[in-house]
Amino acid sequence: MRITSIKAVPISYPVPQGQNVRLGIGRAVKRDAVLVKVTTDEGLVGWGEAHHGRCPGAIAKLIDTTISELVVGMDAMNVVGVWQRVYQMQLASHGMGYAAAMALSGLDLALWDIRAKAAGWPLYRLLGGASKPIKAYAGGISLGWQAPESLAQEALGYVAQGYRAIKLRVGDNPRDDVARATAVREAVGDSIEILVDANTGYTVDDVRRVMPAYDELQIGWLEEPFPAQDYRSYQTAASLGSTPLAAGENHYTRFEFTRLIEDGAVSFVQPDLSKTGGVTEAMRIAGMAYAWKLSFNPHTSATGINMAATINVLAAVDAPGYFEGDVAKHNPFRDEVGGVPYKLDAEGCVKPSETPGLGVEINEAFINAHPLIEGPCYV
């Protein structure tokens, strides 16, 4: 089965006024994604999602030109061979770096969609997994910087939906971050796990200030206090308290995860399937994490394609951690690109779809109605 075409589709939607969540990377004004459609000579079509990299038009152009020229004509079943060709020609030498990793991720997801459809199996089964409940936390673009009382009420709403864990956005300033986390803990009680994500907004001194409170509040993890490449700060911060660190959504391929893991500062690894190299690379990273007895908790991206793929991968790894549930009040990419990709059960868990492939049926009319909106997605 040969690849006959690869097409990138950048899509956008404006965030409605009043729902512009503020977090460490700015205020959300629009959401972007890059979908990847792969067609084969046997008529099977696969869909993937490449992260937009805050420049979706550029990612799409890379896929439509260089990536397509490298890969069209190759065997669609030879996912590892395709992965290696793109890696060798675009990441290993003189390539587009992280942009190429995002582009490759979307292509890889689409190829796994094709492979599973060809087998007539859901992806998790093709990967050697089994249908099982995967615990989820309330995340996505939500629970941002706001008054503590308002944040506590939002958190209680997600607990009422069935979530047994929630993730707060911190990275504002130590005083306000601690006040918000304290208000949420007082509201939800001790039985709900609270995670916090600084979106790279902390300094080492900030972590030194917040850690005593996070330890007392029994915060489950402090996510991305620093930029991904600031390995020294991660190592320093790991000694400042008992709250474990989490990172990985901005680390690309198993090679960057090798250092992240070997440094010993991070307890939770969080590759994004639409960034780090797709299903192929996420499974490799999951194996590395298991060997080091670390928890595997993928970050999720904008659309139901990534979310469905992530649940399938979690159902196929040795020791799955959390699935990041997207509880944004308005996300048509989650709800309408291919239908809502998961359902939360009474225990706060999700399960993979039994539909062959990634488990989503793409609504191309919706995609066509949401063309790229130029400009930054966070301001």
Side-chain angles (χ1 to χ4, degrees), residues 251-307:
H251 287 82
Y252 295 82
T253 77
R254 80 201 94 146
F255 303 109
E256 290 196 352
F257 275 90
T258 296
R259 176 167 182 182
L260 183 70
I261 291 170
E262 289 183 347
D263 276 358
V266 169
S267 300
F268 298 87
V269 295
Q270 302 171 304
D272 185 320
L273 272 63
S274 292
K275 290 183 175 184
T276 202
V279 171
T280 300
E281 198 72 344
M283 293 296 291
R284 293 163 172 163
I285 293 165
M288 292 168 59
Y290 185 70
W292 285 78
K293 302 299 183 285
L294 301 178
S295 183
F296 179 75
N297 302 262
H299 172 265
T300 56
S301 285
T303 83
I305 295 173
N306 174 286
M307 297 173 195

Side-chain angles (χ1 to χ4, degrees), residues 97-119:
Y98 292 160
M102 295 177 204
L104 172 58
S105 298
L107 170 61
D108 187 86
L109 289 176
L111 291 177
W112 278 104
D113 191 30
I114 288 170
R115 291 191 90 228
K117 286 174 178 175

